Amino acid sequence: MIEKKYSKKHEWLEVNGNIATVGITVHAAAQLGDIVFAEVPAVGKSFKKDEAAAVVESVKAASDVYSPLTGDIKESNQAIVSDPSLVNKDPENSGWFFKITIKDQNELKDLMKKSDYEKYATENPN
Amino acid sequence: MSAANAELKQTSKTSLYEFHKNSGAKLVNFAGYEMPIQYQDGIIQEHTHTRNSIGIFDVSHMGQLKIECSSSIFPYLEKIIPLDFSSIENNQSKYSFLLNDKGGIEDDLIVTKVDTGIKIVLNAACKDNDAKIIKDSIGEGFTAVLRDDLSLIAIQGPKAVDAMEKIFKDISKLNFMFGNYFEYNKKKIFITRSGYTGEDGFEVSIKNEDVQELTQDIMRVSDAKLIGLGARDSLRLEAGLCLYGHDINTNTTPVEGALSWAIPKTKKEKGGFLGDKIILDQIKNKPKKIRVGIKPEGKIIAREGTRIFSKDQKEIGHVTSGGFGPSVNGPIAMGYVDYEQSKEGTKVILKVRENMVHGVVSKLPFYKKNYVKN
């Protein structure tokens, strides 16, 4: 099993070769509450690390989903566009947002492992 | 009051605060009160439960002003509240506003006429200022008191009447927008058939020490759930009802707010209230801008502040309330547009982030209400 990595902006990513799958964490999905809208980036679009790449909206508010890495979008999850509640039901699996190429492996070093993220999330709930 | 002052002021708690906490509420600061935004089920579930069954809302943060008076007070009240008090029946409620000299809305409120005087329910954020305006207008001869010994809960939804009938005999005979006294714990309490969700329901004014027991009684005799402010907001938006400070404020008149239906005919003809020149002129010659419902196409939510454009790209207004309507199953919004662009069916464009979202001026409410008339 591939170990997930976590960002300070409450995204998770799963690295597979030179491609990373990105989504929002269980903690983030719970904080947002009922998710009613998701906007995912177009395939081929490029993002810099920490740039807003997708949008997620709950009943309460709209939030950006940031790209934790610099790269190009390889695929985006249309399933969450048609059924945004999937992000609440299964945020760290079928509720993924996009797959992005990894341009700079060094950027992975800034990310946390699960246990560190869980500690971080309790201290920084939003 | 400025935001800075509001933060300095200690937050208040309603009598149900501990009960909310023990019921899994997520609490937020609202108008200086720590209030439940939602419970564990979440906003959509709470919304749907109210539409399909029965929900209980703690609205004790709202002001309950009681004026002990006879009909001699009516001329003073009618200066600031555009109602015809002498034509209101005993125990009847009316939706109205507190006006300023520009015809702007200082607050929207519910007035109920009772044997001993007038009861007024006011918005939490405005209640202290409202009480001052009212006291200044009526003078020394009458006593007006903001009743902080009383809580207020709303029981809303299609099953509200059956649950309430089990506790209060003959309450089902109350008509919508009428109230009466009932007995609970050997004390007289005042209940109106009203609410702000687009559903049938009741609002119960009860002593602070009895409110939790009654809440639990209602939950015992029905499948009532506690509902937070999050669902209250989506319910009232679907019902096309205004949220003060957002959809109406001191700079919008009742005519601009599409609320002139709440001003009785006699007042529309003769005026006699603060800002009457401006309001009567707007009724006659139409206002420059007016509040409308807007249904965005697709799924993108146009929230408060979203700019509204006409088909030919001219900016015509902005959204004042916008969100997801669970019973509509899509985004809904209200906002102000130029009067010429306010006709039902007019196509508009909403600028949400980088998206130009198509929308259409829509009839309010978005969700059809089921009010009761016996």
Side-chain angles (χ1 to χ4, degrees):
Chain A
M1 205 183 114
I2 312 157
E3 202 199 337
K4 282 201 182 81
K5 291 185 177 296
Y6 295 84
S7 79
K8 287 189 173 172
K9 293 184 170 165
H10 304 284
E11 285 92 25
W12 58 266
L13 71 168
E14 200 173 74
V15 178
N16 200 338
N18 71 334
I19 291 179
T21 305
V22 179
I24 67 168
T25 65
V26 170
H27 166 84
Q31 284 291 316
L32 283 165
D34 295 322
I35 291 163
V36 291
F37 175 75
E39 194 175 87
V40 293
V43 172
K45 232 180 147 186
S46 304
F47 291 98
K48 291 206 175 68
K49 181 181 183 308
D50 293 336
E51 200 181 341
V55 176
V56 60
E57 291 203 40
S58 72
V59 183
K60 283 178 272 183
S63 308
D64 287 322
V65 179
Y66 299 92
S67 177
L69 301 171
T70 304
D72 306 326
I73 300 298
K74 278 305 220 190
E75 200 181 331
S76 55
N77 189 2
Q78 295 305 321
I80 63 167
V81 176
S82 49
D83 180 13
S85 70
L86 205 56
V87 183
N88 285 120
K89 286 178 208 142
D90 197 14
E92 297 202 17
N93 197 6
S94 58
W96 61 279
F97 274 71
F98 52 85
K99 295 184 183 186
I100 188 165
T101 58
I102 304 169
K103 285 245 170 94
D104 180 0
Q105 293 281 342
N106 281 325
E107 287 177 350
L108 292 169
K109 289 180 191 157
D110 300 340
L111 300 164
M112 292 173 271
K113 61 178 196 237
K114 192 179 175 83
S115 55
D116 290 341
Y117 170 72
E118 277 169 357
K119 188 164 176 280
Y120 170 83
T122 358
E123 287 159 7
N124 303 274
N126 295 308
Chain B
M1 197 196 315
S2 74
N5 283 339
E7 276 163 31
L8 285 176
K9 213 175 137 185
Q10 218 187 348
T11 54
S12 307
K13 296 176 171 69
T14 71
S15 299
L16 287 172
Y17 174 79
E18 290 297 329
F19 187 61
H20 293 316
K21 259 184 24 182
N22 295 334
S23 308
K26 195 182 269 187
L27 296 152
V28 295
N29 184 329
F30 182 83
Y33 284 79
E34 268 193 78
M35 298 301 289
I37 181 89
Q38 65 168 82
Y39 301 83
Q40 272 152 348
D41 284 351
I43 294 172
I44 293 182
Q45 286 271 335
E46 291 171 26
H47 177 111
T48 313
H49 192 78
T50 307
R51 286 263 182 265
N52 297 336
S53 183
I54 167 171
I56 305 179
F57 303 72
D58 179 15
V59 286
S60 305
H61 56 312
M62 298 184 84
Q64 298 185 64
L65 189 84
K66 174 70 195 293
I67 313 173
E68 305 286 336
C69 59
S70 62
S71 59
S72 62
I73 200 173
F74 295 166
Y76 301 100
L77 285 177
E78 288 179 16
K79 280 255 181 317
I80 48 174
I81 301 171
L83 284 176
D84 184 355
F85 278 84
S86 54
S87 75
I88 303 173
E89 291 172 46
N90 197 33
N91 288 334
Q92 188 179 17
S93 300
K94 288 279 179 189
Y95 174 76
S96 190
F97 342 89
L98 205 55
L99 295 172
N100 61 34
D101 58 3
K102 302 255 179 354
I105 302 171
E106 291 289 323
D107 198 3
D108 62 339
L109 44 82
I110 300 278
V111 165
T112 307
K113 196 189 210 178
V114 292
D115 280 340
T116 53
I118 301 285
K119 290 173 184 283
I120 308 180
V121 176
L122 305 155
N123 281 303
C126 309
K127 63 184 178 185
D128 294 326
N129 189 46
D130 292 349
K132 189 181 172 301
I133 295 172
I134 292 167
K135 282 177 187 171
D136 286 350
S137 180
I138 62 180
E140 300 288 312
F142 307 96
T143 49
V145 184
L146 265 179
R147 295 287 301 272
D148 55 13
D149 59 321
L150 294 175
S151 293
L152 190 67
I153 52 171
I155 325 301
Q156 302 282 296
K159 293 187 185 166
V161 63
D162 289 344
M164 292 292 278
E165 181 69 36
K166 286 179 188 158
I167 302 169
F168 303 103
K169 195 175 173 295
D170 285 345
I171 200 167
S172 57
K173 290 179 183 161
L174 266 187
N175 276 333
F176 193 69
M177 291 302 269
F178 278 84
N180 216 331
Y181 290 94
F182 292 84
E183 205 185 90
Y184 188 76
N185 277 351
K186 301 200 170 126
K187 290 173 207 160
K188 246 169 66 166
I189 65 170
F190 195 74
I191 305 179
T192 55
R193 194 153 198 174
S194 58
Y196 217 62
T197 59
E199 294 298 325
D200 181 27
F202 301 87
E203 288 182 316
V204 182
S205 172
I206 183 167
K207 282 279 190 189
N208 290 336
E209 60 265 28
D210 293 326
V211 67
Q212 185 174 328
E213 195 184 333
L214 176 60
T215 304
Q216 287 172 304
D217 272 351
I218 298 166
M219 292 171 89
R220 205 166 10 248
V221 300
S222 69
D223 66 341
K225 286 187 172 171
L226 294 171
I227 311 295
L229 291 179
R232 184 172 169 80
D233 192 49
S234 55
L235 288 159
R236 69 92 199 162
L237 180 56
E238 281 186 344
L241 301 167
C242 290
L243 178 61
Y244 188 80
H246 300 260
D247 305 305
I248 45 174
N249 58 45
T250 51
N251 295 315
T252 56
T253 70
V255 187
E256 292 164 342
L259 298 168
S260 30
W261 56 266
I263 305 176
K265 207 171 154 232
T266 49
K267 295 287 162 187
K268 279 181 186 161
E269 282 163 3
K270 290 183 190 152
F273 50 85
L274 273 184
D276 55 358
K277 279 208 181 68
I278 295 166
I279 288 173
L280 265 49
D281 175 72
Q282 286 184 346
I283 290 172
K284 201 173 147 211
N285 300 313
K286 304 303 172 201
K288 284 200 172 64
K289 55 171 185 180
I290 193 160
R291 180 179 63 98
V292 293
I294 293 163
K295 180 85 191 75
E297 281 174 20
K299 286 188 174 176
I300 294 181
I301 295 168
R303 295 186 190 270
E304 183 175 3
T306 299
R307 293 158 73 195
I308 306 171
F309 297 84
S310 64
K311 270 191 309 193
D312 53 359
Q313 314 282 315
K314 203 181 120 236
E315 185 158 357
I316 55 165
H318 65 281
V319 169
T320 51
S321 276
F324 177 81
S327 306
V328 173
N329 193 25
I332 47 174
M334 299 197 298
Y336 283 80
V337 296
D338 293 348
Y339 188 82
E340 296 75 43
Q341 302 280 342
S342 67
K343 214 177 138 221
E344 218 181 293
T346 304
K347 290 200 163 65
V348 296
I349 296 165
L350 305 151
K351 190 167 186 294
V352 183
R353 298 180 293 273
E354 297 313 307
N355 308 291
M356 297 308 240
V357 179
H358 290 270
V360 62
V361 174
S362 300
K363 194 176 173 179
L364 293 173
F366 294 105
Y367 179 89
K368 188 84 183 74
K369 49 189 126 189
N370 314 296
Y371 298 139
V372 170
K373 268 192 180 160
N374 283 318

